Amino acid sequence: METKHIHISDYNYPLPDERIAKFPLAQRDQSKLLVYRHGQVSDDRFCHLPQYLPEGALMVFNNTKVIQARLHFRKETGALIEIFLLEPAQPADYELMFQSRERCSWYCLVGNLKKWKEGTLSRTITIGGETLTVRATRGQLHGTSYEILLEWDRPTVSFSEIIETMGELPIPPYLNRETQESDKTTYQTVYSKIKGSVAAPTAGLHFTPQVLADLDAHHIDREELTLHVGAGTFKPVKSEEIAGHEMHTEYIAVRRQTLEKLLAHGCEAIAVGTTSVRTLESLYYMGLKVLANPDVTEAQLHVDQWEPYEREKGKVKSEKFAAADERDEGRVKSEKYAAADEREKGKVKSEDSIRALLAWMDRNDLQTLHSSTQIIIAPGYDYKIVKMLVTNFHQPQSTLLLLVSAFVHGDWHTIYDYALAHDFRFLSYGDSSLLIP
């Protein structure tokens, strides 16, 4: 079946509420670890993960940090309005955004929107012993979100300080509980660094300094990249076929050093979490864009939702390729054209694609690549870089379950049936798995 015509109902399973972990274990690395290896399943403790990994392998982590993205304002009428920060508008760069002084704007979801038809919301807070007022003004609709202008009257205070003081950490909605003070620690990975996510890359929540040190002792090379997880990660698939589901765009940052590490390891990696998977696999398609057009811009490196599948079918043509098509007009194809044909069908080796991307960064004097991806990974997808995956147990009928199914060649029922039968805990604060197809 063509990927677009997959029925999401085929990826359903019974998940009783009591199997959803509402809180994490007191000791992160004591969570259970399901090990799926070439169709065989066993279980262990997460702290023993390094023992299952090949010496000298490369493990890639997402170092994004969850921000306190829920801002609450109360109108004079008493109505409570929630502004949920999704992605920066002005400035659009995450790093610059958190350094902003006096004003900035975000694309946001607005809770209780019907009670905020007009006017400016305000809230008084105290930072460093000084009182200031934060004001919110609603702007234009942007897709399903609104652009919200945020202003404050203390030029010495950064936006980072604002949300640390008045924001609330956005724990997953399926936990069905209020955010607690403990979540500020437990809903962050121990290696989180770069602010920007509104949801945690939860596969990383099981790691402790002890496990990281044990990885080093087993000579596992560690590398980090950044993908800021958006609220779309919780967006259910409502269409019967996945062709009707629009994936959310997520922003990535990958250092030059990471590409060099990938090349040194033959472009094979162990991904920690689905966010690392989507970033690593997107890099391959970004490299194809560079091969097709050496003058491509960072923004043009964006990977569209169905791009991998269209390339495999030979439907994506670069401008240079299309021009060659017109030139040939039915005549014998040149060697260059034939090579382009192979490129466009996604048959380029991973090493060649990553090498091209690295050379493009060098030409543009970039130490870090900043771009975005909307990639959907589902059965029918051919993995290019990720060879092993550490991940939690995902919601029924979710795009994350589709990603897992694609990775284990459709054998996801074996994994989930075992987890349900052996008391594994599910979703963000639940247990973990190591998948080796």
Side-chain angles (χ1 to χ4, degrees), residues 149-415:
L149 173 65
L150 296 160
E151 301 173 286
W152 56 101
D153 54 7
R154 282 278 185 267
T156 57
V157 173
S158 69
F159 185 66
S160 180
E161 294 172 285
I162 295 286
I163 60 171
E164 286 296 321
T165 301
M166 69 178 287
E168 183 179 298
L169 201 74
I171 60 172
Y174 48 67
L175 293 183
N176 292 317
R177 65 172 176 82
E178 294 295 318
T179 301
Q180 300 194 9
E181 188 65 26
S182 61
D183 291 308
K184 291 183 180 180
T185 300
T186 58
Y187 197 59
Q188 301 279 14
T189 63
V190 296
Y191 48 81
S192 64
K193 297 179 181 68
I194 313 297
K195 294 178 182 176
S197 281
V198 299
T202 54
L205 295 180
H206 307 278
F207 287 86
T208 59
Q210 292 78 16
V211 173
L212 295 176
D214 198 17
L215 288 171
D216 295 340
H218 281 79
H219 306 290
I220 305 297
D221 204 354
R222 291 192 281 129
E223 189 57 36
E224 296 178 359
L225 45 72
T226 306
L227 179 143
H228 291 312
V229 190
T233 192
F234 301 121
K235 183 181 176 183
V237 180
K238 294 182 178 179
S239 55
E240 184 179 340
E241 295 185 348
I242 65 169
H245 181 76
E246 183 180 0
M247 286 291 286
H248 49 293
T249 296
E250 292 175 309
Y251 296 88
I252 68 174
V254 180
R255 296 178 300 165
R256 187 183 193 285
Q257 170 187 312
T258 304
L259 298 181
E260 292 173 336
K261 281 272 186 79
L262 277 172
L263 284 172
H265 287 270
C267 286
E268 295 187 350
I270 303 166
V272 177
T274 58
T275 58
S276 296
V277 170
R278 291 205 301 280
T279 305
L280 288 167
E281 294 295 314
S282 294
L283 290 175
Y284 173 81
Y285 293 98
M286 292 178 181
L288 292 190
K289 288 174 184 281
V290 171
L291 285 168
N293 177 13
D295 298 322
V296 68
T297 65
E298 267 189 318
Q300 291 170 335
L301 290 177
H302 169 81
V303 179
D304 291 326
Q305 177 168 336
W306 299 109
E307 190 170 328
Y309 310 92
E310 290 167 351
R311 284 188 179 277
E312 291 292 337
K313 292 167 65 176
K315 287 185 178 179
V316 177
K317 294 186 178 183
S318 66
E319 291 178 14
K320 186 179 291 185
F321 186 20
D325 205 357
E326 291 174 7
R327 278 200 308 273
D328 281 8
E329 294 179 342
R331 293 190 293 274
V332 178
K333 297 178 181 180
S334 66
E335 288 183 17
K336 182 181 288 187
Y337 185 22
D341 202 357
E342 290 298 296
R343 267 208 308 274
E344 299 304 332
K345 289 181 179 177
K347 294 180 181 178
V348 175
K349 291 180 180 179
S350 300
E351 291 95 326
D352 293 337
S353 181
I354 298 303
R355 197 173 286 114
L357 194 55
L358 189 57
W360 176 86
M361 288 181 68
D362 288 344
R363 289 196 302 274
N364 289 277
D365 196 27
L366 293 174
Q367 288 302 309
T368 303
L369 164 67
H370 293 274
S371 194
S372 57
T373 184
Q374 205 179 355
I375 193 171
I376 184 170
I377 297 179
Y381 180 85
D382 179 24
Y383 277 83
K384 300 296 192 293
I385 292 174
V386 179
K387 303 303 177 185
M388 297 185 186
L389 171 60
V390 176
T391 189
N392 286 15
F393 297 95
H394 307 292
Q395 288 179 291
Q397 302 189 95
S398 64
T399 57
L400 302 182
L401 187 54
L402 291 173
L403 182 151
V404 168
S405 180
F407 191 68
V408 296
H409 311 298
D411 198 23
W412 68 273
H413 268 299
T414 297
I415 297 162

